[in-house]
Amino acid sequence: MARVLLGIGSNVERYRHVGLALDALQVAFGELSVSPVYESEPVGFSGSNFLNLAVGFHTELPVAQLSRRLKQMELDFGRRPDAPRFSPRTLDLDILTYGDEVGVVAGVELPRGEILKNAFVLKPLADIAPETKHPVNRKSYSELWQDYATDQKLWPVDFIWQERQISTAIG
């Protein structure tokens, strides 16, 4: 079984879609490791702020089947397949890592390049897998987060899932 780390994002009916995505992922894959939920500004376009988090789980599905299943979930939650890359979305489910796989596997970049570029991807990963090492540069996600330096802002938000406080806003 492979350990998968996924990024989740939404900026359309954000709280609803993130909660529904977590429910669907739990039904499909069982127990989830869930990071705190963060709010961040969109990157690459103007629009509503996103909610972002990371989840981890184990699966026997190969990358191609996992990718198809996640794309179907996005469609089930109203994502338009013809929408521009940088645009508002109901749900974004990105495979960040699949075990220690490196390269393009079934059309999926592994590990996903956004891990090292975007705070809204790296910080949640550092929260749920702090000692896990990036498959290419072999630094842990907590080390990568400590060394991260850009002007991207993100902040934790109050989020409750299945009657459990996943994250708490600061301040």
Side-chain angles (χ1 to χ4, degrees):
M1 298 228 330
R3 170 136 166 113
V4 175
L5 296 171
L6 288 186
I8 300 175
S10 175
N11 77 334
V12 175
E13 296 182 59
R14 308 172 308 168
Y15 285 86
R16 178 176 169 267
H17 285 116
V18 168
L20 290 171
L22 289 171
D23 290 341
L25 290 167
Q26 184 181 49
V27 167
F29 302 106
E31 185 178 339
L32 304 176
S33 299
V34 181
S35 79
V37 179
Y38 294 93
E39 184 170 1
S40 64
E41 296 174 345
V43 172
F45 68 98
S46 296
S48 302
N49 286 351
F50 275 81
L51 289 186
N52 293 100
L53 67 153
V55 299
F57 57 86
H58 290 87
T59 185
E60 293 180 0
L61 290 179
V63 173
Q65 282 182 276
L66 176 62
S67 179
R68 280 193 301 275
R69 183 175 273 183
L70 296 173
K71 293 299 174 209
Q72 187 59 54
M73 283 183 189
E74 289 176 342
L75 296 173
D76 291 346
F77 290 108
R79 179 151 180 187
R80 292 184 23 234
D82 59 345
R85 180 172 180 225
F86 294 109
S87 64
R89 59 204 65 157
T90 55
L91 188 60
D92 199 10
L93 299 172
D94 294 322
I95 302 171
L96 303 175
T97 64
Y98 183 94
D100 283 331
E101 290 282 336
V102 174
V104 177
V105 179
V108 178
E109 175 194 14
L110 296 171
R112 192 169 178 93
E114 290 179 352
I115 293 170
L116 301 176
K117 295 177 187 163
N118 292 315
F120 59 82
V121 177
L122 181 55
K123 175 59 173 145
L125 274 181
D127 289 333
I128 65 166
E131 300 309 314
T132 300
K133 295 189 185 303
H134 186 278
V136 174
N137 72 19
R138 305 307 298 163
K139 286 187 173 182
S140 72
Y141 293 119
S142 63
E143 289 175 296
L144 290 169
W145 179 246
Q146 288 171 352
D147 295 342
Y148 185 80
T150 73
D151 59 355
Q152 288 183 5
K153 307 272 188 284
L154 75 157
W155 52 96
V157 297
D158 288 324
F159 196 91
I160 296 172
W161 177 58
Q162 296 185 350
E163 301 178 11
R164 188 177 71 161
Q165 186 87 28
I166 299 298
S167 59
T168 304
I170 296 176

